[in-house]
Amino acid sequence: MAENSDEINECKAEEETEKNWTRTSHTHSFLESLTPSDREGNSSTQSSHRLLAYSDALISIIATVMILPVAHTKLEDDEELKESLRQLLTTKIAVYLMTFLIVTVAWAAHIRLFQVIERTDDFLALLNLACMMLITFLPYTFSLMATFPENILGILLFCACVIVIGMIQAVIVVYGFSHPFLLNDQIQMSDNQDYYKWHILKVIFRVPILCLIAIIFSFIFTPLSYVLLAIVVFLPYISQSVKWCCRKATGQQEDSHDAMLLYSYHPNEPLSKERVEAFSDGVYAIVATLLILDICEDNVPDPKVVQEKFNGRLVEALQEFGPEFLAYFGSFATVGLLWFVHHSLFLHVTKTTRLMGLLNTFSLAFVGGLPLAYQLTHEFPHNSRNELEAIQISCAIIFLAGVFQLAIWVVALFGERAALHPYVRYSGRDHAFMFAKLALYPCVTLGTFVLTCFLTRFSAPIFHLMEITVPFAFLLLRLLVRASLALLRLLLSPIRRAVHSARGENETYRPLSEEAT
Amino acid sequence: MAENSDEINECKAEEETEKNWTRTSHTHSFLESLTPSDREGNSSTQSSHRLLAYSDALISIIATVMILPVAHTKLEDDEELKESLRQLLTTKIAVYLMTFLIVTVAWAAHIRLFQVIERTDDFLALLNLACMMLITFLPYTFSLMATFPENILGILLFCACVIVIGMIQAVIVVYGFSHPFLLNDQIQMSDNQDYYKWHILKVIFRVPILCLIAIIFSFIFTPLSYVLLAIVVFLPYISQSVKWCCRKATGQQEDSHDAMLLYSYHPNEPLSKERVEAFSDGVYAIVATLLILDICEDNVPDPKVVQEKFNGRLVEALQEFGPEFLAYFGSFATVGLLWFVHHSLFLHVTKTTRLMGLLNTFSLAFVGGLPLAYQLTHEFPHNSRNELEAIQISCAIIFLAGVFQLAIWVVALFGERAALHPYVRYSGRDHAFMFAKLALYPCVTLGTFVLTCFLTRFSAPIFHLMEITVPFAFLLLRLLVRASLALLRLLLSPIRRAVHSARGENETYRPLSEEAT
């Protein structure tokens, strides 16, 4: 983390101390050093690492915030979870998912920007804070839009925010290109800086201009402006994905210039791995603690109530909240273990692409819904239809979160050579172990889901058994994988020996992984 | 961030690919690589960086959670803010501050542990998650204690959590020392690993044993167990601080062995700078977004109400929430700018000590109270006594948060030589600029406080003017500092020239900063 900044600062420190050493007196070097030409802007240049970490933390919190209105919607236990869920699904959950997507789109734009501007100074840091303030306001404008679809205020606010964000980004780009030492080394070295500058500005301005048109249309015909906004957000991704698929299908070689270029919206466009990790950490952390936020606030019983209703017996009073505590520990453990899988996966991934980032976003969006699902599983009486449905929804959410993690791994395996460490690419225990880690949650939840369909009466015990066994399964996974591989080797060894002797002369053959290094 | 892990993984990758290259066939290397002796534990060793970042995010959220019950306490506007505040101060704010302190103590213990165990594997990662789950539960046990001081359940739960956390930490230490490649290089090289191991275990076990005694006492005489708990948490700090002050006062040379040793509770004991930054980022991020969490949930008007009460005019309906939005933007900007100052400060700090960590904790604790204070400033009618008090409390909170940041800088300046980059230590524009940044908020809030005392009728406009001007002051600070220094130089130049000529032979004198490098 601090390595970059340390390097820069050490260089600075050395220069400056050298300067100081040549001074005649330290009491006056304070004023002596203030020559106007004194490394004008450079002296304030900083590594942007912490700025980005803070931005990631802010954006990840904002992305997951809109699950709170969903979680706090009290469902009545009138055997009509389906009905109330339908209501929820159409508004609040949709708002949550759309917010998550839109905020992550803003986050991706932020990554793209700071892959070009690699160093910052105070001015950029302050501009970035202003940008963050507007991004954190986006979810609110979005929920206004969802609650009052006919009223144009939501659209106006949303577009205004997006336009101002775009303008701030443009100012950052212009400022960055006028202080080239702030830029990415690749661009700093390049001859056609101007080309890069205009290309980036063009991409950045596309969104505000479309928003401006959306504002104009909103006064004439509101639905059209919604369509326009959807286009603003998703078109680059869709068009590039289609192009990419066509290329893959026709086997056409990709334009490497296009793929290398930042701001290309190409699925293979690199995405800072560090920032994907930081963002994911933020989401996992806030989701893991969402329930304790509520518990700390709501589940401390009133002393008077305890005195009157329970004769001062606090333990009895707390038993009322038992389900909430169970839900907390259950969801914390599940989110924690999903983080653990994510962490293991990204230890092996060397390079993240835009496509992997998108899959990661989908996985995180489902993780965000987990605490809510867990809370539901404990809110209804045993053996009610609602309970069964809540349990099945929980399983489905964990399953999808896990499956999208698995998809990242598959993309890394079958995508570019450089995306994975060679030693987990094709062979070895690490490969099998990683696969087992990624497959554990999807398999277990699929099994639980199927079981609860048949054994409806025992759905709750099955689910709780799953909750309890999974952490231990993770603890013992290495042993399990080793045992099953040993078994596999035992079974395959006669075949292997046969093959081995048949191709004895092929000793010098080297595996594919060589090419990957 | 990823540098460490990359290094480790690259080494692994190289080793493994080399191994693969010598294989006869890549189709079977999958099973061939599974010799039982195959680098037993080593193959799963990971850099602990991301694990720690995630832990920091979790702990920082938990530390600030207890401000929510405070923030959600509705104050009646009956000109008795003082009365209701007194109630608040005695319970909820105390719970918040105590939770913040206790959680940061747990966090400091976590840092200490992972300064010894520098690499992790899956087993340690899972143990750490279990530890985190218990730490996130601490605030709840604490609020039980505060609400039911006579009931021993709170103490029992708290002590049980602390004992289990201690046991998990002990398991981590024992596991770490039995797999020495996980340890800190310094300890890994050292001859007396056993001495370190027992010293660390002794320190770790001290707390659970005292908690066990507290549990026993809680059945006999409850208040005594509270005293015991207070001792558990604060005694090491107090005793070491007193010792340190005595040493400083008597001018006695410090025992360098003692200061170097990890787990010494010495104020100069190093504290990972990276983790202090990550924790601070987490707190600043969650505090900055606390108000938007509420706004997104509560401040979307009901479509029916808008239709009936405002004839469908959404803008009018939203005007009711105007103060909340103002409070949000105000507190986001202030928290953001305090983060900005913190960020600038830690760019110059090269090494953080335990004492600086403690000051940082105090600063963060006040930052946590900011959103609440800002919300209060907008909740009361203009020119009421409550409004004035809310404004003054806000000023006091910002002032204290800023002053503790300034204290970190002072400690870094007057503490160990190695704690600051030499080029900001004694001289130069960077030094003056940093000081101006740190002093801006304390000075401005002190000014606002004093002004509101005299001009009570204009307190709100003065406060809002302060809110608006401060961000611009930060933008222009570099210019302001440069201008004032130029003025200073102009004023001092005749004196300087006189001194300069008087000590002309002292040309070779070198400033103190030389020694610091």
Side-chain angles (χ1 to χ4, degrees), chain B residues 125-340:
Chain B
L126 290 171
L127 279 185
N128 181 59
L129 281 178
C131 195
M132 281 303 123
M133 192 194 267
L134 289 166
I135 290 179
T136 56
F137 197 65
L138 285 182
Y140 182 75
T141 65
F142 207 76
S143 64
L144 271 189
M145 274 195 247
T147 323
F148 302 94
E150 255 105 80
N151 199 305
I152 60 164
L153 188 71
I155 298 179
L156 289 184
L157 273 177
F158 179 81
C159 288
C161 281
V162 171
I163 289 171
V164 178
I165 292 171
M167 272 156 55
I168 293 176
Q169 289 194 335
V171 171
I172 291 176
V173 169
V174 170
Y175 183 83
F177 275 88
S178 66
H179 297 73
F181 50 84
L182 297 175
L183 295 176
N184 179 332
D185 292 332
Q186 193 194 332
I187 296 179
Q188 210 170 315
M189 298 299 169
S190 115
D191 293 329
N192 46 358
Q193 274 192 18
D194 266 354
Y195 167 74
Y196 277 110
K197 181 176 161 184
W198 290 114
H199 173 71
I200 293 168
L201 280 180
K202 218 168 60 190
V203 173
I204 287 178
F205 269 124
R206 204 155 58 190
V207 175
I209 287 171
L210 279 173
C211 277
L212 211 63
I213 299 173
I215 287 183
I216 295 166
F217 272 110
S218 70
F219 287 104
I220 305 164
F221 185 58
T222 321
L224 198 66
S225 59
Y226 282 112
V227 175
L228 217 54
L229 287 183
I231 290 174
V232 170
V233 175
F234 300 108
L235 191 69
Y237 295 92
I238 297 165
S239 77
Q240 282 292 339
S241 303
V242 170
K243 240 188 249 174
W244 184 75
C245 289
C246 286
R247 273 204 208 107
K248 282 270 157 184
T250 59
Q252 197 186 327
Q253 201 58 40
E254 291 167 44
D255 188 358
S256 71
H257 174 75
D258 206 42
M260 276 302 294
L261 193 66
L262 297 161
Y263 276 92
S264 66
Y265 290 93
H266 193 279
N268 277 347
E269 190 189 334
L271 201 69
S272 160
K273 186 193 161 202
E274 204 176 313
R275 295 203 59 188
V276 173
E277 287 181 351
F279 179 73
S280 309
D281 282 351
V283 171
Y284 281 112
I286 192 88
V287 169
T289 46
L290 266 182
L291 287 186
I292 203 75
L293 297 185
D294 288 340
I295 286 179
C296 280
E297 192 171 356
D298 303 331
N299 292 2
V300 179
D302 194 316
K304 275 182 213 154
V305 174
V306 173
Q307 201 54 50
E308 286 162 16
K309 209 168 150 194
F310 300 98
N311 292 322
R313 283 192 295 274
L314 185 57
V315 181
E316 274 177 34
L318 287 182
Q319 270 167 0
E320 263 190 17
F321 302 129
E324 269 92 351
F325 295 126
L326 264 181
Y328 170 64
F329 287 116
S331 82
F332 191 101
T334 311
V335 173
L337 291 171
L338 283 170
W339 173 84
F340 173 71

Side-chain angles (χ1 to χ4, degrees), chain A residues 111-149:
Chain A
I111 292 186
R112 218 177 283 129
L113 182 63
F114 281 92
Q115 278 177 339
V116 173
I117 316 269
E118 280 193 344
R119 282 163 281 273
T120 60
D121 61 8
D122 286 356
F123 180 66
L124 288 188
L126 290 171
L127 278 185
N128 182 59
L129 281 178
C131 195
M132 283 301 124
M133 191 194 269
L134 289 166
I135 289 179
T136 56
F137 197 65
L138 286 183
Y140 182 75
T141 65
F142 207 76
S143 64
L144 270 189
M145 274 195 248
T147 323
F148 302 94

